[in-house]
Amino acid sequence: SQTIHQWPATLVQPVGSPLSLECTVEGTSNPNLYWYRQAAGRGLQLLFYSVGIGQISSEVPQNLSASRPQDRQFILSSKKLLLSDSGFYLCAWRPQETGELFFGEGSRLTVL
Amino acid sequence: AQSVAQPEDQVNVAEGNPLTVKCTYSVSGNPYLFWYVQYPNRGLQFLLKYITGDNLVKGSYGFEAEFNKSQTSFHLKKPSALVSDSALYFCAVRALSSGGSYIPTFGRGTSLIVHP
């Protein structure tokens, strides 16, 4: 069966420090991958999505970047964190042939 | 523009009573519609989807949703609510992005509170 792993689960970082959140999917190949941010426990904002290795689409301009170095690995990064980057980050994958998403357990980032 | 709306921030219901969480959508073409549930500090879990076929879709944990094309709605329902159903519920639609790919677009979420 397919599983998705996301880490770290929680992170407290000072303003100006770098960030790296990692997401991997097991048990499938060529998934569509997504990074969402959820602020204040409510709406989801799509940050990045990827349909293949090295293919990244950004939905909103921001202080973050994403990379997909391997088929089932999706990384969210920042060179210098801002206070406004705090939030709950969710990675998700979607099989190519269906529409529903499968989410990781999330990474809670607090920037101080 | 393609979008999905959840008009209620919060729904309160007594345990054992039926519940409805509302969702309306706006898309071009045939909609792919989804419901997800999120428990505190967890990722979202897929509940059910409508792509085509029967307008009444059954999903996990006894939930179902009714697709209504004329009202562009996809309301989530359950005949008898449980306290453990208390969570945040998201409606989503598959929408065409500016880049030409189909991406999921989520509503703002509705907090369901089931009282004992």
Side-chain angles (χ1 to χ4, degrees):
Chain A
S1 63
Q2 301 88 1
T3 57
I4 179 169
H5 302 281
Q6 188 180 338
W7 70 94
T10 59
L11 198 59
V12 180
Q13 293 285 102
V15 170
S17 65
L19 170 73
S20 181
L21 300 179
E22 191 163 343
C23 174
T24 59
V25 181
E26 297 178 355
T28 188
S29 59
N30 198 28
N32 286 357
L33 296 171
Y34 304 83
W35 278 111
Y36 285 88
R37 177 168 57 202
Q38 186 177 31
R42 293 309 291 262
L44 297 174
Q45 179 186 35
L46 178 63
L47 301 176
F48 301 95
Y49 68 94
S50 171
V51 299
I53 296 174
Q55 301 179 61
I56 309 295
S57 296
S58 174
E59 286 297 294
V60 293
Q62 58 212 324
N63 185 43
L64 302 168
S65 62
S67 62
R68 185 170 178 174
Q70 301 179 43
D71 181 45
R72 292 169 291 171
Q73 184 184 28
F74 204 25
I75 298 172
L76 184 69
S77 304
S78 174
K79 293 182 179 179
K80 290 186 177 182
L81 284 168
L82 306 173
L83 287 174
S84 58
D85 291 324
S86 293
F88 192 50
Y89 289 83
L90 291 160
C91 180
W93 74 278
R94 179 176 70 83
Q96 293 283 357
E97 64 277 7
T98 69
E100 65 269 29
L101 297 182
F102 298 93
F103 284 82
E105 288 300 308
S107 298
R108 184 164 300 283
L109 171 66
T110 303
V111 183
L112 302 174
Chain B
Q2 301 174 100
S3 63
V4 60
Q6 294 180 243
E8 303 154 316
D9 281 345
Q10 184 171 304
V11 170
N12 292 278
V13 64
E15 187 174 31
N17 283 0
L19 69 88
T20 298
V21 183
K22 296 180 180 178
C23 172
T24 59
Y25 66 90
S26 174
V27 296
S28 55
N30 295 322
Y32 284 32
L33 297 159
F34 309 87
W35 276 102
Y36 296 83
V37 61
Q38 184 182 30
Y39 298 99
N41 297 310
R42 303 291 299 275
L44 278 70
Q45 298 177 36
F46 168 71
L47 279 179
L48 51 81
K49 67 181 176 183
Y50 172 84
I51 296 178
T52 188
D54 194 347
N55 289 343
L56 186 63
V57 179
K58 294 187 182 299
S60 306
Y61 311 121
F63 284 94
E64 57 189 26
E66 186 170 10
F67 171 66
N68 188 315
K69 188 173 183 178
S70 62
Q71 297 184 9
T72 62
S73 67
F74 189 56
H75 300 332
L76 181 69
K77 301 180 180 183
K78 188 173 182 180
S80 178
L82 300 172
V83 172
S84 57
D85 292 330
S86 299
L88 192 56
Y89 290 80
F90 289 93
C91 183
V93 63
R94 190 189 75 159
L96 192 62
S97 74
S98 56
S101 300
Y102 282 101
I103 60 171
T105 298
F106 288 81
R108 284 188 45 79
T110 298
S111 178
L112 173 66
I113 300 175
V114 181
H115 303 277

